[in-house]
Amino acid sequence: MASHTSADVYLCCVKQDEELCKFLCTKLTDEGFTVCQNYLAKGLERGQALLEAKAVLVVLSSDATSSKSLSDEVCLAYISDKPIFPVTAEDYKSLESALNFSMKLIIAKLNWSFFPVDDGGSFKDDNVIVLISSVKKALSHNRKEYHSQRTSTEVPTSLVHELTTTDSKEASIVPPTFNAWRERVRLSKKEKNINLADFWESNFPDKAEVPWQDFRAIFIETYKERILAQIPEDKMSWVLNLIYGEILQLKKTFTKKDYINFCGGSNELQGDPNRFYHRLMDYARGKIAMAGVFNMDSTLRLTAINNLGQFKTVAVLSSLQSLLSDKDANTRAVAAIALGKTETRNHRVIKKLIKTLKDDDRMVREAACLSLGHLKSTEAIPHVVNVWRNDIISNVRSAALTALRLMDSPEAKEAIRVTQVLDEEVEQLKRSMVMRH
């Protein structure tokens, strides 16, 4: 096994699939790839090895579908934008039905490679050449071509406004990851080469806005079959709630401007009449992957948090902000900590962390204080000072004071000085009143 610091491919499998993993490892190393096998790494080393690898092969089987750690690794691979290659020795249809919601949504539509066992008990290698070729392309030409579409390694041109606008109330926008982009590349010739009308233009020509209920009805009619091919029917409402709650921000009307912004800009509408649908499913995958990685039960949560600086894409930032409103207080606290780890001082991030200072859970308030302190946000100083002076929990007040000291700015130092002076004067007043009585 190669040192994880130099691995080209991270092989992700459960112990029961060790033989197929060894078979694939041999084929990959014969082609000159360095490989890290997950079951040979331990604890936090697994997550670090995955993050440092260039591509991820996921070995799926009936045993693997019930593995929490393997699901966590797939989620981490997705949010860290690794090319993912599912492989299996089993029948796809029976295996697909056993995939949990997150795994099915993330990997079901990728290109799978099949290595069934022959009569002699050996894995057939008919598909090795195709798999090797795909991995090579992902590590070289395709990867470069994908990144050439971005203004940097983080933000696509059409989405730059999302991280720079200071007063925008638009919903967070998730750009396509490498794996989502690869799916877009596989659009049919009909979609790529024929100038078909976009979904909005086809259904709402010449309209600047439409009622949400009208948009919802036509969207379901058009895309329900496609969506249900990827997720269980009982999750359909979850997908629709993503549109209404996170794209529309609970507004009763859907404007064309919001629609275009979510699709990535008017130029992005050309050439793909189903751009909105594709973007929505990308968003759903990112949402599921982020929730999986940052869940308190995730085996790779600490690894993800400690390495957020490596993949602070718009998708990650957007999903973390969304998790600040999660029903689970532990998830909200982790999201607050993680946003501080990204070192992103964007106005929207700061604003949401400031709002989190009023969370009902004391751990969430502590996390928000410390993250704002780590981000050295002068904008947050009066809000953190208010927590320091007024929060009923001493640990939260201590976290607020620590945050002000971390900011280490003239404004923060002055706020500390003034508060300490006031505290001393109040104490003196209390003592004098006691002496009088």
Side-chain angles (χ1 to χ4, degrees):
M1 180 184 76
S3 168
H4 67 70
T5 57
S6 61
D8 294 315
V9 177
Y10 182 85
L11 258 175
C12 178
C13 73
V14 296
K15 186 69 174 178
Q16 293 91 325
D17 298 321
E18 184 177 342
E19 291 305 312
L20 177 54
C21 195
K22 288 180 178 179
F23 168 79
L24 293 169
C25 184
T26 299
K27 296 297 182 180
L28 289 165
T29 53
D30 285 348
E31 290 293 327
F33 293 108
T34 52
V35 180
C36 173
Q37 300 171 57
N38 69 335
Y39 62 88
L40 297 181
K42 296 181 179 180
L44 295 178
E45 291 181 4
R46 291 190 298 110
Q48 197 62 41
L50 188 155
L51 291 174
E52 293 177 4
K54 298 172 185 176
V56 175
L57 261 66
V58 184
V59 178
L60 274 302
S61 67
S62 300
D63 293 312
T65 57
S66 60
S67 170
K68 179 67 171 64
S69 61
L70 185 136
S71 179
D72 291 342
E73 288 179 324
V74 171
C75 288
L76 183 59
Y78 189 86
I79 69 167
S80 56
D81 204 21
K82 304 294 181 185
I84 301 173
F85 300 90
V87 297
T88 185
E90 298 182 18
D91 175 69
Y92 174 74
K93 288 187 177 181
S94 60
L95 190 59
E96 182 187 28
S97 63
L99 293 174
N100 62 37
F101 175 44
S102 59
M103 289 282 280
K104 186 174 182 181
L105 187 60
I106 293 172
I107 68 174
K109 291 300 179 181
L110 297 178
N111 278 337
W112 288 55
S113 296
F114 298 90
F115 299 94
V117 177
D118 61 22
D119 295 336
S122 300
F123 295 105
K124 295 181 180 180
D125 60 2
D126 299 4
N127 294 318
V128 167
I129 295 177
V130 175
L131 176 62
I132 295 296
S133 176
S134 298
V135 173
K136 285 182 177 179
K137 286 180 180 179
L139 269 56
S140 56
H141 175 70
N142 279 1
R143 191 72 180 182
K144 293 176 182 178
E145 182 180 343
Y146 165 65
H147 282 299
S148 71
Q149 298 181 12
R150 297 186 174 201
T151 56
S152 71
T153 58
E154 296 179 14
V155 187
T157 305
S158 60
L159 300 175
V160 170
H161 75 281
E162 174 64 20
L163 291 186
T164 56
T165 303
T166 59
D167 58 353
S168 172
K169 293 183 180 179
E170 297 169 1
S172 299
I173 300 173
V174 177
T177 62
F178 176 75
N179 290 293
W181 170 82
R182 184 170 58 186
E183 184 177 344
R184 296 300 79 77
V185 170
R186 296 199 303 269
L187 288 171
S188 67
K189 291 183 178 180
K190 179 179 179 181
E191 288 184 329
K192 287 197 297 182
N193 299 329
I194 299 178
N195 187 23
L196 297 177
D198 169 70
F199 176 76
W200 186 285
E201 295 299 336
S202 295
N203 296 285
F204 316 111
D206 304 321
K207 288 188 178 181
E209 62 179 43
V210 295
W212 157 239
Q213 291 299 332
D214 292 352
F215 185 96
R216 180 182 185 278
I218 297 177
F219 178 81
I220 292 174
E221 180 183 352
T222 305
Y223 294 111
K224 183 177 181 179
E225 185 177 343
R226 288 196 190 190
I227 294 174
L228 293 183
Q230 301 183 58
I231 64 173
E233 188 164 7
D234 62 355
K235 295 294 184 180
M236 184 72 182
S237 59
W238 176 79
V239 172
L240 295 172
N241 286 336
L242 289 181
I243 305 176
Y244 183 57
E246 302 194 20
I247 301 173
L248 292 187
Q249 301 281 288
L250 304 179
K251 292 182 292 187
K252 301 298 183 183
T253 59
F254 202 157
T255 68
K256 188 174 182 179
K257 179 182 178 182
D258 287 339
Y259 174 89
I260 291 174
N261 282 335
F262 182 74
C263 289
S266 57
N267 290 336
E268 295 294 328
L269 300 180
Q270 300 176 6
D272 181 3
N274 299 302
R275 169 64 66 175
F276 180 83
Y277 161 76
H278 288 144
R279 282 287 175 141
L280 179 63
M281 297 313 292
D282 293 343
Y283 189 100
R285 292 183 189 97
K287 182 89 173 176
I288 284 293
M290 289 294 294
V293 167
F294 291 102
N295 185 281
M296 287 297 291
D297 294 329
S298 171
T299 58
L300 298 175
R301 182 171 60 88
L302 291 178
T303 299
I305 292 173
N306 289 331
N307 289 275
L308 274 173
Q310 294 184 27
F311 45 91
K312 50 184 179 182
T313 63
V314 180
V316 169
L317 294 174
S318 179
S319 295
L320 285 176
Q321 291 174 65
S322 176
L323 289 175
L324 287 177
S325 302
D326 194 272
K327 292 180 180 179
D328 180 62
N330 290 330
T331 300
R332 297 198 302 274
V334 170
I337 294 170
L339 280 168
K341 288 278 189 178
T342 66
E343 300 185 353
T344 300
R345 295 169 177 82
N346 165 257
H347 172 76
R348 178 173 290 182
V349 171
I350 298 300
K351 187 176 180 180
K352 291 207 171 187
L353 283 171
I354 289 174
K355 184 178 180 180
T356 305
L357 293 174
K358 298 180 180 180
D359 194 279
D360 292 336
D361 187 86
R362 66 103 174 167
M363 287 293 293
V364 179
R365 299 198 300 277
E366 282 187 56
C369 284
L370 296 174
S371 283
L372 288 166
H374 184 73
L375 295 174
K376 300 185 183 299
S377 169
T378 55
E379 177 185 353
I381 289 175
H383 304 278
V384 175
V385 169
N386 182 59
V387 173
W388 180 30
R389 293 178 178 177
N390 300 308
D391 200 282
I392 62 174
I393 305 296
S394 61
N395 286 349
V396 179
R397 296 197 300 272
S398 296
L401 177 57
T402 299
L404 291 169
R405 289 171 174 164
L406 285 171
M407 292 173 183
D408 196 30
S409 68
E411 296 90 345
K413 290 177 180 178
E414 179 63 11
I416 292 174
R417 187 191 71 79
V418 169
T419 300
Q420 288 175 337
V421 169
L422 289 173
D423 281 345
E424 291 173 3
E425 292 180 352
V426 169
E427 286 301 316
Q428 288 179 3
L429 183 59
K430 286 180 180 178
R431 286 195 295 271
S432 64
M433 291 179 68
V434 170
M435 291 176 65
R436 289 177 184 177
H437 292 282

